[in-house]
Amino acid sequence: MNWWQKLRKNPLARFGAIVLLIFYIMVIAADFVAPYNPLASQPNGSLLPPTRVYWFSQSERGKFIGPHVYPTVQGDTDLETGDRQIIVDFTQPTPIRLFVRGAEYQLLQLTLPLPPKWEEVTILPGIPLDWHLFGTISDKDGVASPTALNILGTDDQGRDQFSRLVYGGRISLFIGIIGVLISFPLALIIGGISGYFGGWIDSVIMRLAEVLMTFPGIYLLVTLGAVLPPGLTSTQRFILIVVIMSVISWAGLARVIRGQVLSIKEREFVQAAVAMGGKPIYIIIRHILPQTATYVIISATLAVPGFIGAEAVLSLIGLGIQQPDPSWGNMLSLASNASIVVLQPWLIWPPAALIILTVLSFNLLGDGLRDALDPRSLRR
């Protein structure tokens, strides 16, 4: 039985992989999946609870008309009790449909801040579309209706919570992937050089790694996040956070790689490459580091949750991605307001549940890979 077959037979690893696949597809196609612009506010729509979906008419004695919603707006607030009145117009049923026309967007558009001025430049122009996965319609042509369908409610600015969750997942999910792509090659090269050459090079690199490992990670992130220059866009802040976390997280992996290289460099195929005149860097990259691939793959899946958690903490305390741009971390920052936790829980539990489920899925997948790629298991 090869590693792939063993991984497929692991139900927990399969569950984690399926959940992550669904999440990544949703955030990549967020423009299509989200019914509304995450920055657009709805008139008189602040702090609305999740929209209730009806199947039978509320004004025609229970007549079945399919899934529909009714216009819902915020009413007056009782100054004595704090109760908010929610006004629902049951005379205007609005049907819910799949694949409805709405706001225009550029599907799969990619913009990045590039040097020297670090201004955002469009890398991929995207595909112009106006179709959305689901929504409310006002006629048979599939034109979007002004009656909103807020399946997870709205925030204090009247913005659709579900749309913000989907868009915010781009930051929270890809910050881990990009962080691993930066920190792991750095750790591999540094650890490989340290273990292969030894001597004073090994001593200097390992002392530097030990110094970095002595700093409490979260406190260092808070300190570095606080000194970020003001006026940064969310994309620029995203890249800076990734670079900062990557620079301080390579040390632990580099020490492990260094230990593996010390053992691998004494094997016959490495000694043969040395005898044939191979250059040290070529031997490290071509012959030694590939032997650590199993450990690196497992470590990568287990390291991604750390980046996601760090971004959530930074955004939670106001040092990460800033409003109005969404991320799961800054959406969760509302949990610091006790009244919102009690009166508007729909603002708190969705981002919290998604963070927990994502971290759990990565850990389950990492554990499955560790079992499937275990050399002793493969030999059996």
Side-chain angles (χ1 to χ4, degrees):
M1 182 186 299
N2 59 33
W3 70 270
W4 173 247
Q5 292 175 327
K6 186 170 184 179
L7 182 64
R8 290 180 58 187
K9 291 187 175 182
N10 187 327
L12 294 178
R14 190 167 63 247
F15 169 79
I18 292 174
V19 169
L20 293 175
L21 179 63
I22 293 173
F23 281 4
Y24 276 98
I25 291 176
M26 288 183 65
V27 301
I28 290 173
D31 304 279
F32 170 71
V33 174
Y36 306 107
N37 186 322
L39 306 181
S41 299
Q42 301 172 14
N44 298 321
S46 65
L47 296 178
L48 292 178
T51 303
R52 180 178 176 182
V53 177
Y54 297 86
W55 293 81
F56 296 89
S57 174
Q58 301 299 299
S59 60
E60 299 183 18
R61 297 183 179 180
K63 178 182 178 182
F64 179 82
I65 58 176
H68 63 282
V69 296
Y70 294 96
T72 305
V73 297
Q74 176 187 8
D76 297 331
T77 301
D78 190 326
L79 298 181
E80 295 183 359
T81 63
D83 293 335
R84 298 171 60 252
Q85 182 183 10
I86 304 298
I87 302 174
V88 182
D89 185 359
F90 288 111
T91 64
Q92 300 183 38
T94 305
I96 302 172
R97 297 290 184 268
L98 295 175
F99 307 111
V100 301
R101 306 180 79 97
E104 294 185 358
Y105 56 88
Q106 299 290 326
L107 184 65
L108 304 180
Q109 184 182 43
L110 177 63
T111 59
L112 292 174
L114 299 178
K117 296 183 178 181
W118 295 101
E119 296 179 350
E120 294 192 11
V121 178
T122 300
I123 307 299
L124 294 176
I127 305 170
L129 290 174
D130 62 355
W131 287 95
H132 296 264
L133 178 60
F134 66 92
T136 55
I137 62 172
S138 59
D139 55 39
K140 297 181 180 179
D141 296 328
V143 177
S145 167
T147 302
L149 171 61
N150 308 119
I151 61 175
L152 293 178
T154 62
D155 64 6
D156 57 343
Q157 301 296 320
R159 299 170 298 201
D160 181 58
Q161 186 78 344
F162 176 78
S163 298
R164 291 180 62 77
L165 277 176
V166 176
Y167 277 91
R170 289 179 169 178
I171 292 175
S172 299
L173 289 176
F174 280 100
I175 197 167
I177 300 295
I178 298 175
V180 165
L181 292 178
I182 295 176
S183 63
F184 272 54
L186 183 65
L188 285 170
I189 296 298
I190 294 177
I193 291 175
S194 177
Y196 185 82
F197 289 102
W200 68 269
I201 296 178
D202 181 33
S203 298
V204 170
I205 293 177
M206 287 300 101
R207 299 299 81 76
L208 175 61
E210 289 168 359
V211 169
L212 286 177
M213 293 175 66
T214 59
F215 288 102
I218 188 61
Y219 296 111
L220 183 59
L221 282 173
V222 170
T223 303
L224 294 175
V227 300
L228 291 178
L232 296 177
T233 66
S234 290
T235 307
Q236 293 170 336
R237 187 175 289 269
F238 169 82
I239 292 179
L240 279 176
I241 291 174
V242 171
V243 171
I244 289 172
M245 290 193 298
S246 300
V247 168
I248 66 176
S249 64
W250 62 266
L253 179 63
R255 285 180 59 87
V256 176
I257 296 299
R258 176 248 186 191
Q260 293 187 352
V261 170
L262 287 174
S263 173
I264 296 172
K265 73 176 184 179
E266 302 298 332
R267 295 183 182 178
E268 291 81 359
F269 66 91
V270 176
Q271 297 300 320
V274 173
M276 295 175 65
K279 295 182 179 180
I281 296 298
Y282 173 80
I283 294 174
I284 292 172
I285 296 176
R286 179 65 179 83
H287 296 289
I288 296 180
L289 291 184
Q291 302 300 312
T292 66
T294 298
Y295 176 80
V296 170
I297 292 173
I298 297 170
S299 298
T301 58
L302 298 176
V304 171
F307 284 92
I308 295 175
E311 183 277 328
V313 171
L314 285 177
S315 297
L316 179 64
I317 61 179
L319 298 177
I321 306 302
Q322 302 296 307
Q323 295 281 359
D325 296 304
S327 78
W328 292 349
N330 65 23
M331 294 178 70
L332 194 59
S333 64
L334 295 175
S336 59
N337 189 330
S339 63
I340 290 181
V341 175
V342 175
L343 299 177
Q344 290 90 30
W346 63 85
L347 299 178
I348 305 301
W349 65 262
L354 288 177
I355 291 175
I356 294 172
L357 189 56
T358 301
V359 171
L360 177 63
S361 297
F362 269 112
N363 287 330
L364 291 177
L365 180 59
D367 288 340
L369 284 172
R370 180 179 57 197
D371 295 339
L373 294 173
D374 184 3
R376 291 169 296 179
S377 174
L378 292 177
R379 282 197 298 268
R380 288 197 297 269

